[in-house]
Amino acid sequence: MRAFTVERYGDNAGVRAGEVPDPEVGADDVLVRIQAASVNPLDRMIRDGEMKAILPYRVPFVLGNDLAGVVVEVGAAVTQYAVGDEVFARPDKDRIGTFAELIAVHQDDVAIKPATLTMEEAASLPLVALTSWQALVERARIQPGQKVLIHAGSGGLGTIAIQLAKQLGAHVATTTSTANVDLVRRLGADVVVDYKKQAFETVLHDYDFVLDSLGGETLKKSLDVLKPGGQVISVAGPPDAAFARELGADPLIRLVMSALSFRIRRRARRRNVTYSFLFMKASGDQLRELTPLIEAGRIRPVVDTVFPFESAREALEYLDAGRAKAGKVVVKMT
């Protein structure tokens, strides 16, 4: 099958298009012919080797973390799906590889594609929708009336997290650039901070929760907008020991991750708030929880640009260069 593989860590020069063996289909797997896959900052981080301590993929490996497609084969123990089903998924972290014609995915990680979406729209959702669900519902347990700040509201994660937070009844603030103020308002943001004109930490106060996708100084300043007892969850900040335990990492890796996050956790404690790191997990069940909201139009995908499969490297370069204006970049099989 055709695929884009990482031949060496470093940059886009290490990504190659070529032929690789078709996937082996286990008893609990569905084999999906991929129709579309989306490009995420996570793909860039994996490609560049930034995630090797957490995700030690051995080169060469197929890149890609989101998909929508059609089931073409099912394993002997599969009970939920049949050949011909249209599905979408974020494969498990140990089984990535959606920049390819085919992928074998465990049946527990797959869900039927929302009927109202195109393949390209569906492929844009799994990773960011699951991250939003796991941050807002599973981890933060957002309640109606709570005040939530979502950074980078026009980004792939932000566009979905804003909409989910509104469905949970939250009062939502977001940060974005001047060009995307109207977009994030249409998505449901109650308060919009144009970061080119205002510093969010000077205008937002007493928030219950912050979802951070930027890290660095933005993460540090986010602690200042929380009320006592509030929490910030970051997908871009330093990993913590709790995440290392989830991974089943050895004691040395746990110690390293604890050290990496020591300063931000100490800073949070001094402000009587909490910090934690989130690396989302694959879950077909959670995608099914989200599907009614998607089909009702309450959560709408935002797609920036669709590239043909042959231009997957160009899609990565487009994302690298920060040229995406809003939402997700998608690669479509031709």
Side-chain angles (χ1 to χ4, degrees):
M1 68 174 181
R2 293 179 301 160
F4 280 84
T5 57
V6 175
E7 300 292 311
R8 61 174 175 78
Y9 286 112
D11 55 28
N12 232 23
V15 178
R16 181 185 67 84
E19 293 289 325
V20 300
D22 288 357
E24 295 184 4
V25 182
D28 288 298
D29 294 343
V30 295
L31 183 67
V32 180
R33 184 167 297 281
I34 297 171
Q35 302 293 310
S38 74
V39 184
N40 295 281
L42 177 61
D43 298 309
R44 176 193 57 77
M45 296 169 71
I46 291 172
R47 178 202 66 193
D48 293 352
E50 295 176 21
M51 306 294 288
K52 278 198 290 186
I54 298 171
L55 304 169
Y57 300 121
R58 177 185 288 179
V59 295
F61 61 89
V62 181
L63 196 58
N65 287 275
D66 273 323
L67 72 98
V70 179
V71 175
V72 294
E73 184 181 338
V74 297
V78 172
T79 57
Q80 302 178 62
Y81 302 99
V83 171
D85 284 344
E86 294 187 342
V87 296
F88 72 145
R90 190 281 201 230
D92 182 77
K93 63 180 175 58
D94 297 323
R95 302 183 65 177
I96 68 169
T98 63
F99 296 169
E101 292 182 300
L102 297 165
I103 189 170
V105 186
H106 195 286
Q107 63 175 332
D108 290 347
D109 299 336
V110 176
I112 295 294
K113 179 183 78 68
T116 53
L117 300 186
T118 66
M119 285 290 181
E120 295 80 14
E121 290 171 331
S124 76
L125 282 176
L127 189 144
V128 293
L130 288 171
T131 302
S132 299
W133 183 274
Q134 289 165 25
L136 295 166
V137 177
E138 191 173 60
R139 187 85 69 86
R141 303 182 186 226
I142 296 300
Q143 299 299 310
Q146 287 190 309
K147 294 170 66 176
V148 170
L149 168 59
I150 294 164
H151 282 298
S154 61
L157 175 58
T159 54
I160 302 306
I162 288 171
Q163 295 177 78
L164 179 58
K166 289 304 296 180
Q167 291 305 307
L168 297 172
H171 173 90
V172 179
T174 193
T175 56
T176 194
S177 65
T178 308
N180 288 313
V181 167
D182 289 341
L183 168 67
V184 296
R185 282 184 176 143
R186 290 196 301 272
L187 293 174
D190 300 291
V191 177
V192 180
V193 178
D194 181 345
Y195 66 77
K196 294 190 174 183
K197 299 178 180 178
Q198 293 176 300
F200 73 90
E201 70 275 14
T202 66
V203 295
L204 303 177
H205 306 284
D206 298 319
Y207 273 68
D208 297 280
F209 175 75
V210 178
L211 177 57
D212 167 58
S213 57
L214 300 172
E217 288 300 311
T218 298
L219 172 58
K220 292 178 186 177
K221 293 173 182 177
S222 294
L223 300 175
D224 298 331
V225 310
L226 291 169
K227 69 182 185 182
Q231 62 176 315
V232 56
I233 292 177
S234 179
V235 298
D240 53 18
F243 171 63
R245 287 193 295 272
E246 284 181 25
L247 281 181
D250 63 46
L252 178 59
I253 295 295
R254 293 185 194 183
L255 187 62
V256 168
M257 290 190 183
S258 182
L260 287 171
S261 60
F262 173 75
R263 288 184 178 179
I264 192 69
R265 289 186 291 109
R266 181 179 63 183
R267 189 182 180 106
R269 282 196 304 272
R270 288 173 174 172
R271 287 160 175 74
N272 194 24
V273 299
T274 59
Y275 164 80
S276 62
F277 175 76
L278 173 66
F279 188 86
M280 57 76 56
K281 301 180 287 292
S283 174
D285 286 342
Q286 290 177 359
L287 288 176
R288 282 186 284 277
E289 293 265 14
L290 285 155
T291 294
L293 294 173
I294 297 165
E295 292 187 329
R298 294 175 181 173
I299 293 179
R300 306 186 306 277
V302 178
V303 175
D304 179 275
T305 308
V306 178
F307 287 80
F309 176 71
E310 292 76 11
S311 299
R313 290 185 70 217
E314 287 78 3
L316 282 163
E317 290 170 0
Y318 182 82
L319 192 70
D320 286 347
R323 295 202 293 271
K325 296 178 178 64
K328 294 292 292 290
V329 176
V330 174
V331 172
K332 178 182 180 180
M333 281 293 182
T334 53

